[in-house]
Amino acid sequence: MVKIATVNIEKGGTGKTSQTFNLGEYAAQKRNKKVLLIDQDKSGNLSNRYSEYDVGLIKDENKIDNLYKGKDIKPLHIHENLDLLVAGVDLHEMDNLIQDKHNNRLILFRWVMENYEELAEKYDYILIDTHNDTTLVTQNAWAIADIVIGVSDPSMDGYGALLKLGNDIEKLKKDLVEVISGNSYMSADYYILGNKVKHNTNTSREFRDIIEQEPNYLGYIQDKELINTGNLEKIPIVEYAEDEKTFRAHKEFFTSTFSVYDKILNILDEKGE
Ligand SMILES: Nc1ncnc2c1ncn2[C@@H]1O[C@H](COP(=O)(O)OP(=O)(O)OP(=O)(O)O)[C@@H](O)[C@H]1O
Ligand SMILES: [Mg+2]
């Protein structure tokens, strides 16, 4: 079975892309799982992490835009355990394009169902990065997910956005009901993840105290320069951890981050079994 996680929140810069990238590479490199990343953010930041694969290689069929245009898509092979569906330049126009289409929030869902056998054979996990919005394209990513992860930095706006996302997901579940059976197409469980949490500030401490109370709380990722550096150098933290000296210098960060990632992957593994 292939398990699907969507990373989203209606707030910019909270770390959605960084967490999708690092979780995906951790699953691929440390857990030896097969991963498909889908970049549904029109800014294309996740795709840019792999821009060295760019030169003349990316075809229209490798772009997720093509699916919403009603065309075929084919993931781009990145490395042994990881493929990518790239965000193309037309992604920002896709909401308008599908607006009047029937079942316009089940386009990605249909693609997964129609190709399920092949996807399940090729991949253990599909991880979807999104834009910080609730558009139709983003709702497509909620609809197919086994879990949706709301990622927030320590702020009241972020906490508000986490609560709103939970409500929006429940609303969509009710909307996407199959008329005869009355069952929803959508089965996503919603989880929340803190990110950029500092050790020594009141804001971070208060934020942690609040989100730790939530029943669907996954954990938090520390505010850490290594994540920033990794984004700039296009290197996932799992690769930094391979270096013994670096690992020892940041042992607590690596251990706590990877234990959050293990928790997420275990939740995915257990979904629907
Ligand atoms: N745990 C972290 N520690 C330190 N810096 C971080 C952390 N997570 C993310 N960042 C930094 O915060 C910035 C925003 O991160 P990122 O691009 O992942 O957020 P995003 O939610 O995907 O943003 P957008 O809404 O623009 O898509 C980047 O500069 C990134 O390097
Ligand atoms: Mg992003």
Side-chain angles (χ1 to χ4, degrees):
M1 264 175 108
V2 54
K3 302 294 173 63
I4 306 177
T6 290
V7 180
N8 180 231
I9 195 168
E10 202 177 1
K11 181 174 190 291
T14 63
K16 295 176 286 300
T17 305
S18 305
Q19 294 313 326
T20 312
F21 173 62
N22 281 304
L23 173 64
E25 290 288 355
Y26 174 80
Q29 298 194 37
K30 196 83 177 178
R31 300 264 302 246
N32 199 23
K33 300 288 187 179
K34 305 280 183 199
V35 177
L36 169 62
L37 298 178
I38 304 182
D39 186 359
Q40 286 219 144
D41 182 359
K42 55 194 174 193
S43 314
N45 295 338
L46 183 61
S47 306
N48 288 340
R49 299 287 193 282
Y50 298 100
S51 56
E52 69 264 39
Y53 296 86
D54 211 333
V55 207
L57 271 183
I58 296 173
K59 304 193 185 89
D60 273 349
E61 64 182 18
N62 305 134
K63 297 173 185 162
I64 190 69
D65 321 22
N66 254 29
L67 177 71
Y68 295 102
K69 292 177 184 173
K71 297 181 190 163
D72 285 341
I73 48 169
K74 193 171 177 288
L76 186 69
H77 188 53
I78 300 287
H79 61 66
E80 197 194 345
N81 282 346
L82 193 126
D83 289 359
L84 171 71
L85 278 164
V86 175
V89 290
D90 296 335
L91 197 53
H92 69 285
E93 292 167 9
M94 292 305 107
D95 248 66
N96 271 341
L97 190 76
I98 63 176
Q99 204 165 33
D100 299 324
K101 289 218 168 102
H102 191 55
N103 285 334
N104 56 9
R105 289 162 307 177
L106 291 170
I107 295 169
L108 187 58
F109 186 98
R110 269 188 61 184
W111 177 73
V112 171
M113 289 307 144
E114 282 170 11
N115 296 282
Y116 192 81
E117 232 169 279
E118 192 188 335
L119 290 170
E121 199 174 298
K122 275 176 84 176
Y123 305 114
D124 298 296
Y125 306 117
I126 299 177
L127 306 181
I128 310 172
D129 188 21
T130 58
H131 193 58
N132 55 339
D133 61 24
T134 60
T135 54
L136 293 171
V137 167
T138 296
Q139 290 181 43
N140 269 270
W142 300 344
I144 186 56
D146 290 297
I147 67 170
V148 176
I149 305 171
V151 175
S152 178
D153 54 0
S155 64
M156 278 324 281
D157 288 348
Y159 182 65
L162 282 175
L163 297 180
K164 178 172 182 290
L165 178 54
N167 289 332
D168 287 348
I169 287 168
E170 286 313 308
K171 257 189 250 158
L172 186 62
K173 266 187 199 167
K174 287 185 188 127
D175 273 6
L176 295 182
V177 164
E178 206 268 321
V179 279
I180 304 206
S181 69
N183 295 331
S184 181
Y185 288 105
M186 202 175 148
S187 64
D189 290 327
Y190 177 50
Y191 290 92
I192 61 177
L193 176 66
N195 185 37
K196 298 191 189 179
V197 175
K198 294 193 166 91
H199 277 308
N200 48 2
T201 68
N202 281 340
T203 327
S204 281
R205 219 171 292 126
E206 280 165 26
F207 176 73
R208 255 177 57 191
D209 287 347
I210 295 173
I211 61 170
E212 274 171 5
Q213 307 298 320
E214 300 289 335
N216 54 350
Y217 170 68
L218 284 170
Y220 73 91
I221 311 288
Q222 294 168 25
D223 183 89
K224 191 82 184 166
E225 188 57 20
L226 258 188
I227 294 190
N228 246 322
T229 316
N231 285 335
L232 289 172
E233 294 184 347
K234 304 176 201 275
I235 295 173
I237 56 167
V238 68
E239 285 179 27
Y240 291 125
E242 288 298 303
D243 179 65
E244 217 172 290
K245 217 172 128 203
T246 313
F247 183 80
R248 247 184 287 125
H250 307 279
K251 193 170 174 200
E252 207 270 316
F253 162 70
F254 285 121
T255 313
S256 68
T257 303
F258 294 160
S259 96
V260 172
Y261 291 168
D262 282 332
K263 185 171 175 184
I264 296 171
L265 298 177
N266 290 342
I267 288 171
L268 279 171
D269 291 343
E270 281 163 20
K271 258 295 282 209
E273 309 250 293

